[in-house]
Amino acid sequence: MSLILPFKAATTPSNNVFDFYSGVLAALHEFGSDGIAVSLEVYDSADSLGVPAGALMLNDIVMGPISVAEISPLAKSLFWNKFIVSPLDPACAPLADSLKIIQAPTTQETQIRDLVFWACEERSAMDSLLVVCEENHYNPIQAAITEVLDTLGASYQILRCESFEDIPALIGERISPTGLNRIILASEREEFVNRITESVAAVRSSRPANLYCPGKVRNFASISDEERTAAGVKMVSAYNIDENDPATALFIDNYKKLYRNVPNSFAFQGYDLTRYFISIRLENGYRWFRSLEEFKMTGLQSDFAFERRPVGFVNTAVRRIEY
């Protein structure tokens, strides 16, 4: 396995890169404990000498580099039976249309599509569907949401909020007293999201509602889990860690023993990716990539369900989160 990361990017190495690398090593340590030896070659994509041809030719799995600018030239020089795993940057997904790329992080487009599917799947004949957005703030998420709704032929209304001060009154007016109000939030602006969450929570006791949010909302420190629960928040994300999962607790414990530190999301990503790709290689041999669409796996932080693109593959697995 070749691992190609920008350890010396700019002049200061990124801690995220080393955390990802630590997760990779933690996974390989587990394989070693099970009697499975994995050869790992590590290369610095920021090295002025470049990545040697052997890194691409001689190893069954090539993971990294990270960015579009780094991956593109390497992918153009691959042999027919080699692919590059794009490990961290969703922006690399379009490369799978023309290059031999396996895109591991699920794109925002896929997450938004599943969020809309989720709202429509749960909707009954009595339920209303409302898309909430900002009037004077351009947001591509709104276009993505309405495009999916139109493709599905779903009936819906759009509520455009001109000012934050108007939000409580507008939400109060537009939420129906009958059925369940399914509200899709077409924004990732923290202050706007905060106001909408507060307003939905305020009327939810008398008028049932669920607030469907993009996954980024989970990272907003100004909104507590209690507030999300009060608003009936549901969201779709590429990543989510179940801290009550015994396997997660075991990984955290083992990671602490190895590094005397708590793993962050980059460490979990390195671990999950390594477990997945080594496992598919062990089960399917050196032509493992032919089994990508059938070989699905649930990781600690993210899941893997790949779909074929004209040349490469993209991960379409997401996690649905309810508060």
Side-chain angles (χ1 to χ4, degrees), residues 9 27 42 59 74 107 123 204 232 241 251 258 260-261 265 305 317:
V42 181
N59 292 299
L74 289 182
T107 64
R123 184 186 188 185
R204 193 166 175 255
I241 298 170
F251 168 65
L258 287 171
R260 298 182 181 180
N261 203 355
S265 62

Side-chain angles (χ1 to χ4, degrees), residues 151-182:
T151 300
L152 294 174
S155 59
Y156 63 94
Q157 293 181 321
I158 296 179
L159 173 60
R160 294 182 172 88
C161 303
E162 293 187 7
S163 68
F164 291 164
E165 290 73 20
D166 296 337
I167 288 175
L170 288 172
I171 291 293
E173 292 171 3
R174 295 293 291 274
I175 289 187
S176 171
T178 59
L180 197 152
N181 296 272
R182 303 194 181 276

Side-chain angles (χ1 to χ4, degrees), residues 26-310:
L28 295 181
H29 183 269
E30 285 189 6
F31 279 115
S33 299
D34 294 335
I36 300 170
V38 178
S39 173
L40 176 66
E41 295 179 4
V42 181
Y43 301 94
D44 188 352
S45 61
D47 194 315
S48 60
L49 297 177
V51 178
L56 306 178
M57 295 170 55
L58 303 177
N59 292 299
D60 294 326
I61 300 166
V62 180
M63 190 180 298
I66 294 177
S67 69
V68 171
E70 291 177 324
I71 286 180
S72 294
L74 289 182
K76 293 174 183 177
S77 61
L78 291 172
F79 284 119
W80 69 270
N81 62 340
K82 301 293 181 182
F83 283 80
I84 286 179
V85 178
S86 166
L88 290 172
D89 189 357
C92 294
L95 296 178
D97 291 337
S98 58
L99 296 172
K100 300 177 71 176
I101 302 298
I102 300 172
Q103 175 64 28
T106 305
T107 64
Q108 185 186 55
E109 178 186 6
T110 299
Q111 295 171 52
I112 292 297
R113 184 170 63 247
D114 190 75
L115 184 70
V116 176
F117 283 174
W118 192 7
C120 292
E121 287 168 6
E122 295 187 325
R123 184 186 188 185
S124 70
M126 293 293 294
D127 296 348
S128 61
L129 190 58
L130 186 65
V131 178
V132 180
C133 61
E134 296 178 72
E135 177 67 44
N136 300 314
H137 185 79
Y138 172 74
N139 191 344
I141 292 178
Q142 179 189 343
I145 289 172
T146 55
E147 181 181 357
V148 177
L149 286 169
D150 292 339
T151 300
L152 294 174
S155 59
Y156 63 94
Q157 293 181 321
I158 296 179
L159 173 60
R160 294 182 172 88
C161 303
E162 293 187 7
S163 68
F164 291 164
E165 290 73 20
D166 296 337
I167 288 175
L170 288 172
I171 291 293
E173 292 171 3
R174 295 293 291 274
I175 289 187
S176 171
T178 59
L180 197 152
N181 296 272
R182 303 194 181 276
I183 305 165
I184 302 177
L185 182 54
S187 176
E188 289 182 331
R189 244 187 2 140
E190 186 166 357
E191 187 176 0
F192 181 76
V193 172
N194 204 335
R195 293 296 184 92
I196 295 295
T197 303
E198 291 173 352
S199 300
V200 172
V203 301
R204 193 166 175 255
S205 59
S206 59
R207 283 170 281 182
N210 281 122
L211 184 59
Y212 296 81
C213 303
K216 185 179 178 180
V217 171
R218 183 179 48 167
N219 301 324
F220 294 164
S222 62
I223 308 174
S224 68
D225 286 348
E226 290 75 18
E227 290 171 318
R228 295 185 182 107
T229 300
V233 166
K234 299 187 176 189
M235 62 181 67
V236 170
S237 177
Y239 309 109
N240 187 51
I241 298 170
D242 181 1
E243 296 181 355
N244 297 318
D245 182 0
T248 299
L250 179 61
F251 168 65
I252 293 174
D253 185 56
N254 290 337
Y255 190 93
K256 287 179 179 178
K257 291 176 181 177
L258 287 171
Y259 304 112
R260 298 182 181 180
N261 203 355
V262 178
N264 61 14
S265 62
F266 289 91
F268 271 94
Q269 180 74 350
Y271 176 86
D272 280 347
L273 283 178
T274 304
R275 292 290 310 183
Y276 176 84
F277 284 102
I278 296 299
S279 296
I280 191 175
R281 169 62 179 85
L282 290 171
E283 185 169 318
N284 295 280
Y286 72 95
R287 294 184 177 179
W288 54 268
F289 50 87
R290 294 184 174 179
S291 304
L292 265 176
E293 292 176 283
E294 292 76 35
F295 194 87
K296 296 175 172 56
M297 180 179 287
T298 299
L300 299 183
Q301 175 180 257
S302 54
D303 303 327
F304 303 100
F306 288 97
E307 288 185 359
R308 185 85 199 202
R309 289 297 182 263

